[in-house]
Amino acid sequence: MKTLNPGAILLFYDYPQVFLGTDSVDTLYACMVSLENEDGPAYACTPVSRRRATELSRGQKDLRSVFEHPELPEFYTASFVDDLNGSLLMQPAGYTQMPLEMLPEVGLVFNFEDEVAISASDLNTTVSFVSLSVPEAVTEARIRSTTLAGFLGIYQTAIQYLAKTQAKRAKRPLKRDDDSFSADVYGFAKGSFTVKFRGSNETDIFGEIPAFSAAMQKLTEFLQQVSDPAEALDFLQSVKGHTASSLIRLLEFLSTHSCPIKVEWATPSMRSAVRAEADLGAIRELVARCRERSDLSIEEVTITGRLEAARHGAGTWTMISEEDHESYSGDIHPESGVTVSGMRIEQTRYQFVCEETIEVVNGTGREVRHLALKTVKVLDN
């Protein structure tokens, strides 16, 4: 038996119906459902070249011809080992020509005309195209290196905080060293200067990177609202703190560099990309509205752990969090009436509810977090 790992999904309904897979030596197979039973779907598979796989995924060859006229007279059957999220076991089918009753209908093609969706399918990962309409890109694919470098840092930071926000809302918070939201630049395109991103990390069985996809979904949702300042401000109010601050910094960068933006993204299972864009006028109006609001960079944060230090005279404290084992320091909120006097160092578990304010250092763009303690709860002694 061989192990088969699913790759690009060409047809999905409840589970993959048609997909491209690879074995342990990276041989490609075209696979389609041949039988459905209580234990799950069974697939018919035949080896294909890279050229034929591309023709199949781009609608240049229909599914029937791949199985009716295989490049090699080899056929296999494959079934999932445990569940639909794992690998499959593949064994010889016992025939060198596909039985007529098993062949799909003539003309079943997978015509991905969407370049972003095609790229996601070909690369078997989440991809994103970001078009920056900087003035120097009007006549050629050109952008100042300092502009590109600045954008890449700000853009990745926004993706990072959006991913963490969504993971926390889904009650699956990302660990401090989890960088599954990260993306690599793998190419550029003409027109408005377009940067092509792909997920940096390993995908799941369906070619998905959940953290990266969740972040892209929220980013396009936000950009779709930029033209309506009230809706966009509501969005920023809903995420607050680091996430809101990173999105505002992105808008300020685009405004400063006179740079409208268009974002497109897709996963291998999507037939078309999700798109959003924001023009310069809408960006600048929203930036102005954001500067009138001081509450967007404020967020309530709960920290549970044991105190490492508490200075009553200075009104400062340092706590080691149980959740991520990191050290957090802050002072007392002026309106709280709380005091650290009498708190026990290292012995007692406390729950601190703090107001977190994000401040951006002028010149460097570095974010500084300020924690102000509002309420205290003693958990045990």
Side-chain angles (χ1 to χ4, degrees):
M1 288 191 178
K2 296 182 180 181
T3 298
L4 178 69
N5 299 304
I9 299 170
L10 305 182
L11 181 62
F12 187 95
Y13 184 78
D14 291 336
Y15 51 80
Q17 302 283 324
V18 181
F19 65 88
L20 297 170
T22 56
D23 63 16
S24 59
V25 294
D26 209 29
T27 300
L28 265 172
Y29 296 84
C31 307
M32 67 176 181
V33 170
S34 60
L35 180 67
E36 297 183 29
N37 52 48
E38 294 181 356
D39 297 327
Y43 296 89
C45 309
T46 188
V48 292
S49 64
R50 297 281 171 184
R51 176 184 58 79
R52 177 162 283 197
T54 298
E55 290 174 343
L56 178 63
S57 64
R58 296 190 178 182
Q60 298 166 346
K61 188 173 288 292
D62 73 350
L63 184 63
R64 183 184 179 104
S65 65
V66 170
F67 284 89
E68 190 173 20
H69 306 291
E71 293 171 292
L72 291 175
E74 296 179 14
F75 294 92
Y76 299 85
T77 59
S79 299
F80 284 101
V81 178
D82 296 313
D83 54 44
L84 298 180
N85 292 317
S87 58
L88 300 91
L89 285 181
M90 187 170 61
Q91 59 184 351
Y95 49 79
T96 58
Q97 184 173 355
M98 175 73 76
L100 287 175
E101 65 272 16
M102 293 179 61
L103 289 171
E105 296 294 325
V106 174
L108 178 56
V109 295
F110 310 97
N111 189 7
F112 293 123
E113 297 179 355
D114 187 313
E115 183 183 359
V116 181
I118 289 173
S119 296
S121 177
D122 286 350
L123 296 172
N124 192 37
T125 190
T126 302
V127 301
S128 170
F129 286 18
V130 182
S131 300
L132 303 170
S133 298
V134 290
E136 58 267 31
V138 172
T139 58
E140 57 185 320
R142 175 185 168 200
I143 190 171
R144 289 188 173 86
S145 59
T146 52
T147 302
L148 179 59
F151 169 77
L152 292 175
I154 292 172
Y155 180 78
Q156 184 60 68
T157 298
I159 295 299
Q160 172 187 345
Y161 286 124
L162 284 167
K164 289 184 175 181
T165 296
Q166 289 306 103
K168 187 180 296 184
R169 287 178 174 177
K171 301 187 184 302
R172 294 191 296 271
L174 300 179
K175 295 181 180 179
R176 187 170 288 264
D177 60 351
D178 187 335
D179 68 345
S180 56
F181 48 79
S182 295
D184 296 337
V185 174
Y186 74 94
F188 303 95
K190 295 181 179 180
S192 297
F193 193 87
T194 300
V195 187
K196 298 181 179 182
F197 296 91
R198 57 167 292 166
S200 304
N201 292 272
E202 292 296 321
T203 61
D204 63 18
I205 200 68
F206 300 127
E208 304 280 351
I209 305 179
F212 186 27
S213 297
M216 292 308 307
Q217 180 63 50
K218 296 307 289 185
L219 177 62
T220 49
E221 180 183 327
F222 173 65
L223 292 176
Q224 287 166 355
Q225 297 174 356
V226 167
S227 59
D228 187 329
E231 284 191 7
L233 288 170
D234 285 344
F235 181 98
L236 293 170
Q237 181 69 29
S238 71
V239 294
K240 288 189 172 182
H242 284 287
T243 306
S245 177
S246 67
L247 290 171
I248 293 170
R249 285 181 62 198
L250 176 61
L251 293 176
E252 290 175 336
F253 178 90
L254 297 172
S255 175
T256 299
H257 292 82
S258 301
C259 182
I261 188 172
K262 178 181 179 182
V263 174
E264 306 169 88
W265 71 277
T267 67
S269 62
M270 294 166 57
R271 296 302 300 263
S272 60
V274 177
R275 294 175 171 82
E277 54 188 305
D279 63 46
L280 194 55
I283 290 170
R284 285 177 170 164
E285 180 180 352
L286 183 54
V287 167
R289 296 281 293 273
C290 288
R291 287 172 177 165
E292 298 172 355
R293 299 278 296 268
S294 61
D295 59 321
L296 296 176
S297 58
I298 297 175
E299 184 175 2
E300 188 171 270
V301 174
T302 300
I303 308 170
T304 300
R306 300 179 189 274
L307 284 172
E308 187 177 45
R311 299 175 180 83
H312 173 59
T316 59
W317 51 269
T318 301
M319 174 179 281
I320 304 297
S321 169
E322 292 179 352
E323 181 179 348
D324 56 20
H325 308 292
E326 294 291 326
S327 177
Y328 293 84
S329 298
D331 53 23
I332 308 300
H333 195 284
E335 300 177 2
S336 69
V338 172
T339 176
V340 296
S341 177
M343 290 188 180
R344 304 175 68 184
I345 307 301
E346 297 182 348
Q347 299 178 27
T348 301
R349 293 175 63 243
Y350 295 98
Q351 183 182 81
F352 280 13
V353 177
C354 306
E355 181 179 275
E356 180 185 65
T357 304
I358 308 301
E359 299 175 355
V360 178
V361 178
N362 290 332
T364 66
R366 185 172 64 90
E367 289 186 344
V368 177
R369 173 173 55 189
H370 175 236
L371 293 170
L373 179 60
K374 296 174 64 178
T375 63
V376 177
K377 181 178 181 180
V378 178
L379 299 180
D380 62 45
N381 293 316

Short mmCIF file of all heavy atoms in Angstrom, two decimals, residues 88-118:
data_model
loop_
_atom_site.label_atom_id
_atom_site.label_comp_id
_atom_site.label_asym_id
_atom_site.label_seq_id
_atom_site.Cartn_x
_atom_site.Cartn_y
_atom_site.Cartn_z
N LEU A 88 -4.59 9.18 3.02
CA LEU A 88 -5.33 8.03 2.51
C LEU A 88 -4.35 6.89 2.23
O LEU A 88 -3.16 7.10 2.01
CB LEU A 88 -6.06 8.37 1.22
CG LEU A 88 -7.10 9.48 1.24
CD1 LEU A 88 -6.46 10.83 0.90
CD2 LEU A 88 -8.24 9.19 0.26
N LEU A 89 -4.88 5.66 2.27
CA LEU A 89 -4.11 4.50 1.86
C LEU A 89 -4.53 4.13 0.44
O LEU A 89 -5.72 4.08 0.13
CB LEU A 89 -4.35 3.33 2.81
CG LEU A 89 -3.66 3.42 4.17
CD1 LEU A 89 -3.96 2.17 5.00
CD2 LEU A 89 -2.15 3.62 4.03
N MET A 90 -3.54 3.88 -0.41
CA MET A 90 -3.80 3.63 -1.83
C MET A 90 -3.23 2.27 -2.21
O MET A 90 -2.10 1.93 -1.84
CB MET A 90 -3.14 4.75 -2.65
CG MET A 90 -3.44 4.73 -4.12
SD MET A 90 -2.86 6.26 -4.92
CE MET A 90 -1.08 6.17 -4.58
N GLN A 91 -4.01 1.47 -2.94
CA GLN A 91 -3.57 0.16 -3.37
C GLN A 91 -3.97 -0.05 -4.83
O GLN A 91 -4.91 0.58 -5.32
CB GLN A 91 -4.15 -0.94 -2.49
CG GLN A 91 -5.65 -0.99 -2.46
CD GLN A 91 -6.16 -2.03 -1.48
OE1 GLN A 91 -5.40 -2.83 -0.95
NE2 GLN A 91 -7.46 -2.05 -1.24
N PRO A 92 -3.29 -0.94 -5.56
CA PRO A 92 -3.61 -1.19 -6.98
C PRO A 92 -5.07 -1.59 -7.15
O PRO A 92 -5.63 -2.34 -6.35
CB PRO A 92 -2.67 -2.32 -7.36
CG PRO A 92 -1.51 -2.17 -6.43
CD PRO A 92 -2.10 -1.72 -5.13
N ALA A 93 -5.68 -1.08 -8.22
CA ALA A 93 -7.10 -1.33 -8.46
C ALA A 93 -7.36 -2.66 -9.15
O ALA A 93 -8.49 -3.14 -9.15
CB ALA A 93 -7.69 -0.20 -9.29
N GLY A 94 -6.34 -3.26 -9.76
CA GLY A 94 -6.54 -4.55 -10.40
C GLY A 94 -6.98 -4.47 -11.85
O GLY A 94 -7.37 -5.47 -12.44
N TYR A 95 -6.96 -3.27 -12.43
CA TYR A 95 -7.28 -3.14 -13.85
C TYR A 95 -6.34 -2.09 -14.46
O TYR A 95 -5.80 -1.23 -13.75
CB TYR A 95 -8.74 -2.75 -14.08
CG TYR A 95 -9.24 -1.59 -13.25
CD1 TYR A 95 -8.95 -0.27 -13.60
CD2 TYR A 95 -10.01 -1.80 -12.10
CE1 TYR A 95 -9.41 0.79 -12.85
CE2 TYR A 95 -10.47 -0.74 -11.34
CZ TYR A 95 -10.18 0.55 -11.70
OH TYR A 95 -10.63 1.61 -10.96
N THR A 96 -6.13 -2.21 -15.78
CA THR A 96 -5.25 -1.27 -16.48
C THR A 96 -6.03 -0.35 -17.39
O THR A 96 -5.44 0.49 -18.08
CB THR A 96 -4.21 -2.04 -17.33
OG1 THR A 96 -4.88 -2.90 -18.24
CG2 THR A 96 -3.29 -2.85 -16.41
N GLN A 97 -7.34 -0.48 -17.38
CA GLN A 97 -8.22 0.42 -18.13
C GLN A 97 -9.46 0.68 -17.28
O GLN A 97 -10.07 -0.26 -16.76
CB GLN A 97 -8.63 -0.19 -19.47
CG GLN A 97 -9.46 0.75 -20.34
CD GLN A 97 -9.70 0.16 -21.73
OE1 GLN A 97 -9.18 -0.89 -22.09
NE2 GLN A 97 -10.50 0.86 -22.53
N MET A 98 -9.80 1.95 -17.14
CA MET A 98 -10.93 2.31 -16.28
C MET A 98 -12.23 1.72 -16.85
O MET A 98 -12.55 1.94 -18.01
CB MET A 98 -11.04 3.83 -16.17
CG MET A 98 -12.26 4.32 -15.40
SD MET A 98 -12.14 4.06 -13.62
CE MET A 98 -10.99 5.35 -13.16
N PRO A 99 -12.99 0.95 -16.03
CA PRO A 99 -14.29 0.43 -16.49
C PRO A 99 -15.20 1.56 -16.93
O PRO A 99 -15.23 2.63 -16.31
CB PRO A 99 -14.83 -0.28 -15.25
CG PRO A 99 -13.61 -0.65 -14.45
CD PRO A 99 -12.65 0.47 -14.68
N LEU A 100 -15.93 1.36 -18.01
CA LEU A 100 -16.79 2.41 -18.58
C LEU A 100 -17.78 2.96 -17.56
O LEU A 100 -18.05 4.16 -17.53
CB LEU A 100 -17.53 1.87 -19.81
CG LEU A 100 -16.71 1.66 -21.07
CD1 LEU A 100 -17.56 1.02 -22.16
CD2 LEU A 100 -16.15 3.00 -21.55
N GLU A 101 -18.34 2.07 -16.72
CA GLU A 101 -19.36 2.51 -15.77
C GLU A 101 -18.78 3.42 -14.68
O GLU A 101 -19.53 4.11 -13.98
CB GLU A 101 -20.05 1.31 -15.13
CG GLU A 101 -19.16 0.43 -14.28
CD GLU A 101 -18.47 -0.67 -15.07
OE1 GLU A 101 -18.44 -0.57 -16.31
OE2 GLU A 101 -17.95 -1.61 -14.44
N MET A 102 -17.47 3.46 -14.55
CA MET A 102 -16.85 4.30 -13.54
C MET A 102 -16.41 5.65 -14.08
O MET A 102 -16.05 6.55 -13.31
CB MET A 102 -15.64 3.58 -12.92
CG MET A 102 -15.99 2.35 -12.10
SD MET A 102 -14.51 1.55 -11.43
CE MET A 102 -13.84 2.85 -10.39
N LEU A 103 -16.40 5.79 -15.40
CA LEU A 103 -15.93 7.04 -16.00
C LEU A 103 -16.93 8.18 -15.75
O LEU A 103 -18.14 7.96 -15.81
CB LEU A 103 -15.73 6.87 -17.50
CG LEU A 103 -14.54 6.01 -17.94
CD1 LEU A 103 -14.60 5.76 -19.44
CD2 LEU A 103 -13.23 6.68 -17.55
N PRO A 104 -16.44 9.38 -15.48
CA PRO A 104 -17.34 10.53 -15.29
C PRO A 104 -17.94 10.98 -16.62
O PRO A 104 -17.52 10.52 -17.69
CB PRO A 104 -16.42 11.60 -14.72
CG PRO A 104 -15.07 11.25 -15.25
CD PRO A 104 -15.02 9.74 -15.31
N GLU A 105 -18.90 11.85 -16.55
CA GLU A 105 -19.53 12.37 -17.76
C GLU A 105 -18.53 13.17 -18.59
O GLU A 105 -17.56 13.74 -18.05
CB GLU A 105 -20.71 13.27 -17.40
CG GLU A 105 -21.85 12.56 -16.70
CD GLU A 105 -22.54 11.54 -17.58
OE1 GLU A 105 -22.65 11.82 -18.81
OE2 GLU A 105 -22.94 10.47 -17.09
N VAL A 106 -18.76 13.21 -19.87
CA VAL A 106 -17.92 14.01 -20.77
C VAL A 106 -18.12 15.50 -20.46
O VAL A 106 -19.24 15.94 -20.21
CB VAL A 106 -18.27 13.72 -22.25
CG1 VAL A 106 -17.48 14.65 -23.17
CG2 VAL A 106 -17.99 12.27 -22.59
N GLY A 107 -17.03 16.26 -20.49
CA GLY A 107 -17.14 17.71 -20.36
C GLY A 107 -17.04 18.27 -18.96
O GLY A 107 -17.22 19.47 -18.76
N LEU A 108 -16.74 17.41 -17.95
CA LEU A 108 -16.58 17.92 -16.59
C LEU A 108 -15.20 18.55 -16.46
O LEU A 108 -14.18 17.86 -16.44
CB LEU A 108 -16.74 16.79 -15.57
CG LEU A 108 -16.55 17.16 -14.10
CD1 LEU A 108 -17.49 18.29 -13.70
CD2 LEU A 108 -16.73 15.95 -13.20
N VAL A 109 -15.17 19.88 -16.42
CA VAL A 109 -13.90 20.60 -16.35
C VAL A 109 -13.88 21.51 -15.14
O VAL A 109 -14.92 21.84 -14.56
CB VAL A 109 -13.64 21.44 -17.63
CG1 VAL A 109 -13.49 20.55 -18.83
CG2 VAL A 109 -14.76 22.46 -17.84
N PHE A 110 -12.69 21.93 -14.76
CA PHE A 110 -12.50 22.80 -13.61
C PHE A 110 -11.75 24.03 -14.12
O PHE A 110 -10.52 24.08 -14.10
CB PHE A 110 -11.73 22.08 -12.52
CG PHE A 110 -12.32 20.73 -12.20
CD1 PHE A 110 -11.79 19.58 -12.78
CD2 PHE A 110 -13.43 20.63 -11.40
CE1 PHE A 110 -12.36 18.35 -12.52
CE2 PHE A 110 -14.01 19.39 -11.13
CZ PHE A 110 -13.47 18.26 -11.69
N ASN A 111 -12.51 24.98 -14.59
CA ASN A 111 -11.93 26.12 -15.30
C ASN A 111 -11.73 27.30 -14.34
O ASN A 111 -12.61 28.13 -14.15
CB ASN A 111 -12.82 26.54 -16.46
CG ASN A 111 -12.14 27.58 -17.34
OD1 ASN A 111 -10.97 27.88 -17.15
ND2 ASN A 111 -12.88 28.12 -18.29
N PHE A 112 -10.57 27.35 -13.71
CA PHE A 112 -10.25 28.44 -12.81
C PHE A 112 -9.71 29.61 -13.62
O PHE A 112 -8.53 29.67 -13.96
CB PHE A 112 -9.21 28.01 -11.77
CG PHE A 112 -9.71 26.98 -10.80
CD1 PHE A 112 -9.07 25.77 -10.66
CD2 PHE A 112 -10.83 27.23 -10.02
CE1 PHE A 112 -9.52 24.83 -9.76
CE2 PHE A 112 -11.28 26.30 -9.11
CZ PHE A 112 -10.64 25.10 -8.98
N GLU A 113 -10.57 30.58 -13.96
CA GLU A 113 -10.13 31.75 -14.70
C GLU A 113 -9.53 32.80 -13.77
O GLU A 113 -8.85 33.71 -14.20
CB GLU A 113 -11.30 32.34 -15.48
CG GLU A 113 -11.86 31.40 -16.54
CD GLU A 113 -13.02 32.00 -17.28
OE1 GLU A 113 -13.45 33.11 -16.90
OE2 GLU A 113 -13.50 31.38 -18.24
N ASP A 114 -9.83 32.67 -12.50
CA ASP A 114 -9.37 33.61 -11.49
C ASP A 114 -7.89 33.33 -11.18
O ASP A 114 -7.55 32.24 -10.70
CB ASP A 114 -10.24 33.42 -10.24
CG ASP A 114 -9.97 34.46 -9.17
OD1 ASP A 114 -8.79 34.71 -8.88
OD2 ASP A 114 -10.93 35.01 -8.64
N GLU A 115 -7.00 34.30 -11.47
CA GLU A 115 -5.56 34.07 -11.28
C GLU A 115 -5.21 33.76 -9.84
O GLU A 115 -4.36 32.91 -9.56
CB GLU A 115 -4.76 35.30 -11.74
CG GLU A 115 -3.25 35.07 -11.65
CD GLU A 115 -2.43 36.29 -12.03
OE1 GLU A 115 -3.04 37.32 -12.39
OE2 GLU A 115 -1.20 36.21 -11.96
N VAL A 116 -5.89 34.44 -8.91
CA VAL A 116 -5.60 34.20 -7.49
C VAL A 116 -6.04 32.79 -7.10
O VAL A 116 -5.31 32.06 -6.42
CB VAL A 116 -6.28 35.26 -6.61
CG1 VAL A 116 -5.96 35.03 -5.14
CG2 VAL A 116 -5.83 36.66 -7.02
N ALA A 117 -7.24 32.40 -7.53
CA ALA A 117 -7.73 31.05 -7.23
C ALA A 117 -6.87 29.99 -7.90
O ALA A 117 -6.60 28.93 -7.32
CB ALA A 117 -9.19 30.91 -7.66
N ILE A 118 -6.42 30.27 -9.12
CA ILE A 118 -5.53 29.34 -9.82
C ILE A 118 -4.23 29.17 -9.03
O ILE A 118 -3.74 28.05 -8.84
CB ILE A 118 -5.22 29.84 -11.25
CG1 ILE A 118 -6.46 29.71 -12.14
CG2 ILE A 118 -4.06 29.07 -11.85
CD1 ILE A 118 -6.30 30.34 -13.50
#
